[in-house]
Amino acid sequence: MTDRTITGLAARRVWDSRGHPTVEVEVALASGATGRAIAPAGASRGSREAVDLRDGGAKLKGLGVDLALANLRGPVAETLFGMDAVNQSAVDAALIALDGTPTKSRIGGNATVAASLAVLQAAAAASHQPLWSHLAATLGTTPSVPLPEIQIFGGGAHAGRRVDVQDFMVMVPGATSFAEALEVTAEIYHAAGAILAAKGRSGGVADEGGWWPDFRTNEEAMDTLIEAITKAGETPGKRVVISLDIAASELYRDGVYRLGLEKRSLTTDGMCDYLGGWLTQYPIVSIEDPLAEGDTAGLVAFTTTHGNRVQVIGDDALVTNADLVRQLATAGACNAVLIKVNQTGTVTGALEAFRAARALGWGTIVSARSGETEDVAISHLSTGLGAGQLKVGSFARSERMAKWNECLRIEEVLGPKAFVGGAPLAATWWQG
Ligand code: PGA
Ligand code: ZN
């Protein structure tokens, strides 16, 4: 036994930003150091991601976590006790072996991700370093403060499918610091709110804090976003650019994309043309899940046509899985990966997906889920790994703001020269 041996594990039920139950784990080491982590929860999930273990039944919409907590207090605690907290890959391998399923369905992805991250936090605490610097030191990476990708309008599954597109976001690659990127985004966010209010269309905010999308067409949302950027005193495509998450798996049924708002159905070619039109019309530099996870041919076609000038991010199609990253890269689909630790269920799984993407020269975006909490581990993860971007939703609600604010604190330590800025985005639209 050393100072860093895992000697204690507490699991408790806490609540996420949608008011749903979730899992918190606290790990204690022999030295007395502790680490704590909470599992987030997605709403537009990929079919191959780690699944949360939920109790089912009538209570709490079936979302109870008593089974996951029992697994943590029993078999997970027994497995982890006596292990070295610094050996994250051994800890995660033990969790994976204990679970024994490809999707963590026996122990629960919510249980494994909270346990895995809590161990990482405890190891960081034992090293007397903030998590980002512990990660950089143990992985040998150069820490950097990521470019924030911030939602202005929510949509899709996060806004009652009021519009088809899930995230209308801005990025400020022309900013010289994370702090400046946030300030510019704040002006745009509030300008968008004022525009909606003036039109009598303000309807509160969606799941991730973006304005509720009361629009007649998807293009009207795009045009309003351009209006908001302009009203904030910026020239769209200059210092500020647009990023979209289409979350197209949510629109895809029976081989067809159904745009509910406009009552249109599009084939794969039609969807590629529809989005391709936007790429020429608007200063879009990044587009996530433009086609559905099952439509690999569509993702290949889209990446082949547009991948040289926009970042094509795979979320549902890649589910933070290194093998899928390599497979889709070989097929010619996507050129960037979204990293969501709970999609794979362990820190090590996320690191493997990150490394696979980096080895391919792909973009890397660390992301929150739509169901979030006050846990700010991903701010540290994106910084410690030196990821290009960070996506945590909008510019309202503290489960989002906590993560942006944590990056401000980290930037204060690292200095603005550590800010990634526009470097990873090789898009023609961004005019620097
Ligand atoms: P989520 O979606 O609801 O599954 O977290 C977020 C995303 O699609 O990026
Ligand atoms: Zn997504």
Side-chain angles (χ1 to χ4, degrees):
M1 169 130 65
T2 72
D3 270 9
R4 294 175 182 187
T5 302
I6 299 170
T7 53
L9 186 150
R12 68 177 65 87
R13 180 180 70 175
V14 294
W15 302 87
D16 74 14
S17 56
R18 283 193 272 252
H20 293 155
T22 188
V23 168
E24 176 171 276
V25 172
E26 217 162 308
V27 163
L29 309 187
S31 66
T34 61
R36 192 167 76 191
I38 312 179
S44 66
R45 289 183 290 261
S47 66
R48 284 180 284 191
E49 62 176 272
V51 296
D52 292 344
L53 182 60
R54 301 284 185 177
D55 297 342
K59 207 175 135 190
L60 293 170
K61 301 195 277 182
L63 297 173
V65 291
D66 289 348
L67 295 171
L69 294 175
N71 285 341
L72 284 160
R73 291 170 187 144
V76 171
E78 279 161 33
T79 302
L80 298 189
F81 284 179
M83 293 193 78
D84 180 1
V86 177
N87 196 345
Q88 185 75 42
S89 57
V91 164
D92 291 337
L95 288 170
I96 288 165
L98 175 67
D99 175 77
T101 73
T103 54
K104 319 286 185 292
S105 58
R106 204 169 76 81
I107 297 296
N110 44 356
T112 63
V113 77
S116 180
L117 279 163
V119 169
L120 178 68
Q121 293 278 16
S127 73
H128 305 288
Q129 290 180 79
L131 181 56
W132 65 264
S133 100
H134 169 74
L135 275 166
T138 49
L139 300 172
T141 50
T142 306
S144 60
V145 181
L147 179 66
E149 192 185 1
I150 305 184
Q151 187 193 69
I152 304 299
F153 304 119
H158 302 159
R161 300 187 197 284
R162 185 61 195 75
V163 295
D164 302 296
V165 173
Q166 183 179 281
D167 295 290
F168 297 88
M169 297 169 286
V170 294
M171 293 196 281
V172 193
T176 55
S177 65
F178 189 89
E180 184 185 321
L182 286 197
E183 184 179 299
V184 172
T185 307
E187 298 283 14
I188 297 165
Y189 181 77
H190 294 298
I195 291 167
L196 291 181
K199 291 180 179 168
R201 304 258 203 103
S202 40
V205 298
D207 266 11
E208 297 189 355
W211 299 109
W212 186 263
D214 189 4
F215 301 112
R216 289 180 198 94
T217 62
N218 292 297
E219 277 85 357
E220 193 188 357
M222 293 296 297
D223 292 336
T224 309
L225 185 53
I226 293 289
E227 206 183 325
I229 294 169
T230 310
K231 186 175 160 68
E234 300 288 335
T235 307
K238 186 96 181 119
R239 184 161 69 143
V240 178
V241 290
I242 293 175
S243 168
L244 301 174
D245 181 0
I246 310 299
S249 306
E250 299 283 314
L251 310 173
Y252 195 54
R253 255 182 298 128
D254 307 323
V256 171
Y257 293 89
R258 292 168 207 275
L259 302 181
L261 180 58
E262 295 161 33
K263 300 191 171 44
R264 294 165 70 187
S265 289
L266 297 175
T267 61
T268 293
D269 285 350
M271 190 69 173
C272 284
D273 290 347
Y274 178 66
L275 297 175
W278 285 6
L279 297 184
T280 54
Q281 207 181 337
Y282 303 103
I284 296 166
V285 303
S286 178
I287 188 158
E288 181 178 326
D289 287 354
L291 285 303
E293 61 162 288
D295 189 3
T296 306
L299 282 167
V300 171
F302 189 87
T303 309
T304 305
T305 313
H306 305 293
N308 60 338
R309 65 186 203 90
V310 289
Q311 179 174 257
V312 183
I313 308 174
D315 174 9
D316 290 353
L318 301 174
V319 292
T320 314
N321 178 309
D323 290 337
L324 290 174
V325 167
R326 286 186 283 262
Q327 270 172 36
L328 265 82
T330 303
C334 306
N335 57 28
V337 65
L338 203 73
I339 300 288
K340 293 168 163 168
V341 185
N342 82 327
Q343 274 184 331
T344 177
T346 64
V347 171
T348 302
L351 289 180
E352 284 168 0
F354 178 86
R355 288 198 186 106
R358 265 284 155 89
L360 290 159
W362 278 22
T364 50
I365 301 92
V366 172
S367 173
R369 301 307 304 245
S370 52
E372 267 296 334
T373 68
E374 65 273 26
D375 192 311
V376 296
I378 60 169
S379 304
H380 289 261
L381 190 66
S382 57
T383 305
L385 292 177
Q389 293 138 69
L390 177 63
K391 178 189 183 208
V392 308
S394 191
F395 209 67
R397 303 176 38 143
S398 280
E399 79 279 6
R400 315 287 151 193
M401 302 316 292
K403 293 162 182 72
W404 302 134
N405 289 341
E406 188 72 357
C407 287
L408 289 174
R409 297 182 192 104
I410 296 171
E411 186 172 64
E412 233 175 74
V413 178
L414 283 170
K417 62 178 188 322
F419 177 58
V420 165
L425 293 169
T428 50
W429 264 108
W430 180 49
Q431 297 154 22

